[in-house]
Structures are given as structure tokens and as C-alpha cells.
Amino acid sequence: MSVTPIKGAAAVPSTPTLGANLTTDRALSRHLLSSTTYDLLVIGGGILGTAVAWTAAQSGLKVAMLEAGDFAGATSSASSKLVHGGLRYLQTGAVKLVAENHKERRALGTDVAPHLVNPLTFYLPVYKGGPHGAPKLGAGVFLYSALSAFRDGVGHIASASHAAQQVPALRTDNLSAVAVYGDHQMNDSRVAVMTVRAAVQSGAVVLNHAEVTGLRFTRGRVTGAEVRDRLDGTEFGVDARLVLNATGPWVDHLRRMEDAGAAPSVRLSKGAHVVLRRKAPWRAALATPIDKYRITFAIPWEDHLLLGTTDEEYTGDPAEVRATDADIDQILDEAAHSVRDEHLDRSLITYAFAGLRVLPGGDQAAARSASGKGGGGRRAGGTATAKRETVVTEGRGGMLSVAGGKWTTYRHIGRTVVAKLAKVPGAGLAEDMAPIPRTVPLPGVGTPNAVAHRLLIDREPGSRMDPLVAKHLASHYGTLSFEIAHLVDEDPSLGRPIHPDGPDIWAQVAYAADREWAYTPDDVLRRRTTVTIRGLDTPEVRAEVEAFLKERQDV
Ligand SMILES: Cc1cc2nc3c(=O)[nH]c(=O)nc-3n(C[C@H](O)[C@H](O)[C@H](O)COP(=O)(O)OP(=O)(O)OC[C@H]3O[C@@H](n4cnc5c(N)ncnc54)[C@H](O)[C@@H]3O)c2cc1C
């Protein structure tokens, strides 16, 4: 297909702050990274590393961030996509935590990313003989909604027949009622890339597909990293006053680069999900209790159904984590508690993925908890009940490591870690930091319906946009959709769908390459667009995207 590159800021006039650091030119990025001493080097470009980079850059610090794979390519694109208060934490009495999570959830859904984070109603089905009765669940959802001051409605009990009308796939045999509450959901990959962009607009310099292979030391303190560009093998170094290890499941691997004898600080638990085509409307999500502690989700997401998740201790290489056939069987079996069989047919599966929860506790805690919950089956003892806490440790060389916690509270974690970094003795970062604004919206902030409407009416004479494409762009890019529409105006061939059965168009591939640091077919198909999760990344589509990226990168 024909390609009209938009390298250079002039091609997209509405982008406000395109500086050298917003470049997708890797040689320039490497030059920027290796020619300055940064105040802070963040290793790991998942949502936690990105949150810290964004917050630190907002405070005026000179920040660099390196990611071995793609931004959010590991855990941060393998979540359940929920922006939530965490209903299950109420069971442990963590009322304050739930209230804090709700506050962050609401900030994301209303002020920071209303274009990307959407409200969603949840039903907790109450079956006769199930692990929890209606009075308990009713009280739970009422308290849950009270902890966000009823801003998403009042948690209540609704009848089985009402629930079945809203969710025709709901299994109704032995169903007495459902408990109803409100939370939010997102496309985690897209929120992550928008957050990377926000960090870069605040001044951070970032590079993905750039693996830290070693650390640099000055008088025993960690003051930088050795890096290998995974795309072309180039090696270079980055110097910094302070280094943060935000490598998620790899956190202990990096800690051992600092101190070969460092004891494990975390343990890992695998969570898998399955995406299926939908056969009926889903006007609410189901959160079905499986036992006293675990809930299985069936969530309408990206016009599909997202099911999950598992919770199994994992001791292998984090890079190898996959959803296995056994995981898929377990997810479908558990979903069948509340979803009718015809909606769970394997032929409906479009995609399956897995990620790793990072839970507090190294060897000793793992040993303790492994004996804590019976079963001896494939599920890890204790990981389902383990607290989803953020683990922050400081190593011998002064490197701070952060892992775990929730996607929902990423801004809060970013602020907390930056406050800790400011206090690291000897680095003196605090003196150079300006106050951090409380709420900064993500790029593209806007009302999706209004954006979609404008995409439909503000067209060049003779051109039109499919309403489904307009809606899709508006809810994944917000007002940045106008930049994508501009690409289509310049080159109408970019308005073609990537796959005829999905709403993603070629202009998104161009935009991903030019503005969103996408270099591989997976970056584009799995994380910048929704092609992979819809099961539409056929060999032909992958080959065409690969050729397109190559042509665009060679320009
Ligand atoms: C199954 C599951 C479901 C979840 N569901 C939810 C949910 O619905 N809602 C919610 O709020 N939270 C959820 N979470 C939690 C949330 O997803 C995580 O807390 C969050 O994504 C962790 O982000 P991270 O940046 O720490 O880790 P990661 O996203 O894993 O990022 C770490 C990054 O470091 C990089 N890295 C590793 N080594 C190097 C190196 N040597 N050099 C450079 N980079 C390196 C990796 O490539 C990786 O991208 C879920 C987690 C799991 C596992």
C-alpha cells in the first residue's frame, strides 16, 4: 500500500509539545540518553515505571526510562482491565484501602482519562448453596459504594430476572439474586502508551526495546546502566544520580545486578485470561464468587467477552509466561458457574494471555504461605489470599526497587515513590524538585461521544468515516483521533481497515509508528490497536504490518 510518512512535527499541526524527546527516531533517542547525566533513570516501562517517570518529570527532574520490550508489554497489558476499588479487600477489613482506590478510580474516570476509562456495572450472582449469601453480598456492595460516597450509585440487590434481561448469557438455574455495584474498565495497553506520552510531554526521554544488561557504579552507588538496543544490537550507557528498578516480575533479577547476594523480595503468581467473541449483549459484567476468596470475572470488553483469571504460583522465567490449555480449561470451567455453555464454546476464543502478579514476600514468605492453603492442586497455596501490596526496597547501592500493587493506583504509587526518591540521602533530588500538580489529564482528554461526532462531521468533502471507526478512535485516542483522521485526509488509503472484521484502520499503524514508539507487528497489533485481541492478526495482516513498519522506519 502507499505510504505517506509524517516524520517531523509539521505534518501533524495539532500536536502541542513535540520536542526532540517525543521522537521515535531511535538513534536520536540513544544519543539523548547517552549524552546527559539524568537526575533519575527508571528501568522498566510498565505502568509503575511510567508513573514514576511521569511524576518525576512533572516535578522538573531530568528523567530517562528504558524498557527491555515494549511499553506495558509484560504485566501491564495482561491485567483484568479493571480500574476498581477492590471489592474483595472488604473481606479483610481494608476499608481505608478501598476508599483510596475508589478515589484514584474516580480521578481516572472523570478528570485524568475520561476518554479511556469507562464506568461499568457489575453483578455478583448469588446462587443457592454458593459461598456467600445475599444479605452478606448486599451489605458488601452497599458499603463498597458508600466508600466512594455513592458517586457510582448505591450498591444493592437486584432480582435474577432483571439481571438476566441485562445479561442474557447469565445462568439462571438456582440464581436467587445479584448484588450490583459500579467500577470502571479500560484498555490497559492504550492507557499505558498515553501515560508514556504524558511522561514524554513532561520532559522524560524514553526508549523501548532497550534492555538494561548491567548497572554502572560510582563509589559503590548505582549511578547508571549498560543498555543493549534489542532491535539492532547497539550498546550504550546511561548515567544518572539515582536509579529506580521498576521491572515488575524481573525486580529481583535487577536487584541481583546491584548485589549478587540479594535475597528474593517477591514471589510471583500467574493470572491468565481468555477473550471470546460475544453472542449476546452484555450490559453488565459478572463477578462470580468461586469460593470464599476467589472471584471469576466475565467482562464485556472491546466488543468481546473477557474471562479470568487464574491464580497459580509461578517460578519459571517471567519472559515465558503463557496461558496454557490447562489455564484455558480452568477459566472456562469457572466461568460456567454463571455463564451459559453456548457462550463459552472454545470456537469463540479469539485470544488468551497471561501475566504475573508480584506479591510481597521472598523465599521465606513463599514457604510459609505454600503451607497455608490446602488443596495440593495446581493453584498456589496462599497467592489468592496474599495482599496485592506495592513492594518498595532499597538496595546496597542505593537503588530503589518498586513492584506489585494495582494498575488502578498507578498515579498514587508514582507520587509515593517519587517522594521516597526525593529523600534518598546524598542524591539531593528534593532541592531540584518543584511541587507536583495533583491532577494532570492524559493526552487526548475529551468526551468520546463529542469526539466521535466531530470525526463524522468534520470530513473533507467527499470523504466519510464509518461510525464504528469514529467511535473506536474516539474511545481509544480521545481528541488525538483528529490527528489520525488528518492522516486519512492526507492519504485516503490509510482509512482502510487493517482487517475487514475489525474497526482498526491503517492510519493507526502509521500513527503507532510515528507517534507511539511502535516498532514491531506485536507492538502495533497487540498493544496500539485491538487487532490481536479480536483474533484478527492473521499471518497476512502481520506480514503487511511488518512491511509497512519497515517502509515507514526506512524513510
Ligand atoms: C492477572 C493480573 C490481573 C490484574 N488485574 C488488574 C486489574 O484489573 N486492575 C488493577 O488495578 N490491577 C491489576 N493487576 C495489577 C497490575 O496489572 C500490575 O500491578 C501492574 O501492571 C504492574 O506494573 P509494573 O510496571 O510493575 O510491571 P510490568 O508491567 O511487568 O513492567 C515491568 C517492565 O520491566 C521491563 N524490564 C524487565 N527487565 C528489564 C531490563 N533488564 N531492562 C529494561 N526493562 C526491563 C519488562 O519488560 C516490563 O515491561 C493485575 C495483575 C495481573 C498479573
Side-chain angles (χ1 to χ4, degrees):
M1 75 185 294
S2 77
V3 175
T4 310
I6 53 162
K7 295 268 173 197
V12 184
S14 51
T15 306
T17 53
L18 287 178
N21 55 346
L22 195 50
T23 182
T24 51
D25 176 336
R26 297 183 67 81
L28 178 56
S29 299
R30 287 193 305 250
H31 170 73
L32 291 169
L33 286 164
S34 56
S35 57
T36 315
T37 298
Y38 288 86
D39 295 320
L40 174 65
L41 168 62
V42 177
I43 306 174
I47 193 57
L48 293 201
T50 306
V52 175
W54 185 27
T55 313
Q58 285 175 57
S59 79
L61 294 178
K62 222 184 288 172
V63 181
M65 182 171 84
L66 298 167
E67 163 56 47
D70 187 19
F71 299 125
T75 326
S76 300
S77 57
S79 79
S80 303
K81 329 295 178 195
L82 300 180
V83 178
H84 59 159
L87 181 68
R88 81 182 193 100
Y89 304 138
L90 286 184
Q91 267 184 292
T92 57
V95 171
K96 191 160 164 259
L97 175 73
V98 173
E100 281 165 9
N101 291 354
H102 270 319
K103 208 167 134 206
E104 274 303 296
R105 171 178 70 81
R106 289 201 51 81
L108 286 172
T110 53
D111 302 323
V112 177
H115 49 318
L116 306 171
V117 174
N118 305 305
L120 183 62
T121 300
F122 281 78
Y123 293 160
L124 275 164
V126 185
Y127 289 100
K128 292 185 188 96
H132 309 285
K136 179 178 167 191
L137 291 182
V141 294
F142 180 82
L143 173 60
Y144 189 68
S145 60
L147 291 171
S148 67
F150 303 117
R151 287 194 194 91
D152 306 274
V154 179
H156 63 280
I157 293 288
S159 70
S161 57
H162 170 78
Q165 259 174 14
Q166 300 300 306
V167 182
L170 176 64
R171 197 181 277 286
T172 46
D173 351 317
N174 289 326
L175 180 68
S176 358
V178 297
V180 186
Y181 65 96
D183 262 332
H184 282 75
Q185 73 170 167
M186 63 177 166
N187 179 319
D188 47 8
S189 313
R190 289 248 24 114
V191 180
V193 80
M194 292 293 204
T195 313
V196 172
R197 186 168 171 145
V200 169
Q201 287 182 349
S202 297
V205 177
V206 302
L207 192 64
N208 52 355
H209 301 289
E211 178 186 359
V212 167
T213 51
L215 297 175
R216 289 184 165 182
F217 293 86
T218 310
R219 290 184 292 280
R221 306 283 297 172
V222 179
T223 54
E226 305 298 340
V227 190
R228 195 177 71 86
D229 187 322
R230 280 187 177 174
L231 297 186
D232 67 5
T234 307
E235 296 188 347
F236 62 101
V238 181
D239 293 313
R241 289 159 74 184
L242 269 184
V243 175
L244 176 76
N245 166 16
T247 55
W250 290 265
V251 66
D252 284 338
H253 178 71
L254 265 285
R255 287 176 61 248
R256 283 192 295 274
M257 285 187 193
E258 179 188 27
D259 171 7
S265 64
V266 298
R267 61 201 174 109
L268 305 176
S269 146
K270 177 165 84 159
H273 289 87
V274 178
V275 184
L276 295 95
R277 275 192 300 280
R278 267 182 0 210
K279 294 181 59 154
W282 282 67
R283 296 183 198 91
L286 302 180
T288 308
I290 292 298
D291 56 33
K292 270 190 143 182
Y293 300 104
R294 289 189 56 241
I295 279 180
T296 185
F297 289 111
I299 303 171
W301 181 68
E302 298 291 7
D303 320 313
H304 283 62
L305 183 63
L306 176 70
L307 301 179
T309 174
T310 57
D311 199 336
E312 178 192 357
E313 184 129 35
Y314 186 86
T315 52
D317 177 352
E320 296 298 320
V321 67
R322 298 275 180 281
T324 60
D325 278 347
D327 294 326
I328 294 171
D329 285 344
Q330 184 189 337
I331 291 168
L332 294 176
D333 281 357
E334 292 182 347
H337 276 73
S338 56
V339 180
R340 293 175 189 278
D341 291 342
E342 63 269 30
H343 299 271
L344 299 175
D345 197 278
R346 269 182 172 261
S347 65
L348 297 171
I349 294 177
T350 58
Y351 189 56
F353 59 91
L356 294 171
R357 298 176 192 87
V358 176
L359 304 174
D363 275 353
Q364 288 176 355
R368 263 204 315 275
S369 93
S371 60
K373 193 165 175 244
R378 54 194 296 277
R379 205 181 325 139
T383 57
T385 50
K387 287 192 176 152
R388 271 51 168 162
E389 279 169 357
T390 312
V391 182
V392 185
T393 52
E394 188 179 342
R396 247 186 210 182
M399 179 172 77
L400 229 57
S401 295
V402 57
K406 302 297 291 175
W407 230 112
T408 304
T409 51
Y410 80 88
R411 294 181 331 136
H412 176 71
I413 298 171
R415 284 193 296 267
T416 310
V417 172
V418 168
K420 276 191 198 296
L421 289 164
K423 287 188 195 136
V424 171
L429 287 194
E431 295 150 28
D432 299 332
M433 289 169 63
I436 298 161
R438 215 52 221 160
T439 303
V440 178
L442 287 184
V445 67
T447 313
N449 284 345
V451 171
H453 184 65
R454 263 195 63 196
L455 285 172
L456 289 174
I457 57 169
D458 284 2
R459 306 298 305 146
E460 294 286 305
S463 73
R464 65 175 290 276
M465 187 175 273
D466 180 333
L468 284 179
V469 172
K471 189 169 162 248
H472 179 68
L473 294 180
S475 57
H476 290 78
Y477 300 82
T479 57
L480 296 178
S481 310
F482 302 131
E483 297 183 2
I484 294 172
H486 180 69
L487 291 177
V488 179
D489 289 341
E490 283 190 340
D491 178 355
S493 76
L494 293 176
R496 274 200 305 136
I498 301 171
H499 188 289
D501 296 342
D504 294 289
I505 57 173
W506 277 97
Q508 293 171 255
V509 186
Y511 196 74
D514 295 351
R515 293 283 176 269
E516 297 187 332
W517 305 278
Y519 300 97
T520 71
D522 250 4
D523 297 352
V524 172
L525 297 169
R526 164 72 176 92
R527 287 173 294 274
R528 306 300 185 279
T529 67
T530 59
V531 177
T532 296
I533 57 161
R534 292 170 192 271
L536 304 177
D537 64 345
T538 59
E540 296 75 33
V541 163
R542 292 187 82 84
E544 217 183 334
V545 167
E546 189 161 14
F548 182 95
L549 290 174
K550 189 163 180 330
E551 200 176 333
R552 208 146 184 104
Q553 283 149 12
D554 286 347
V555 173

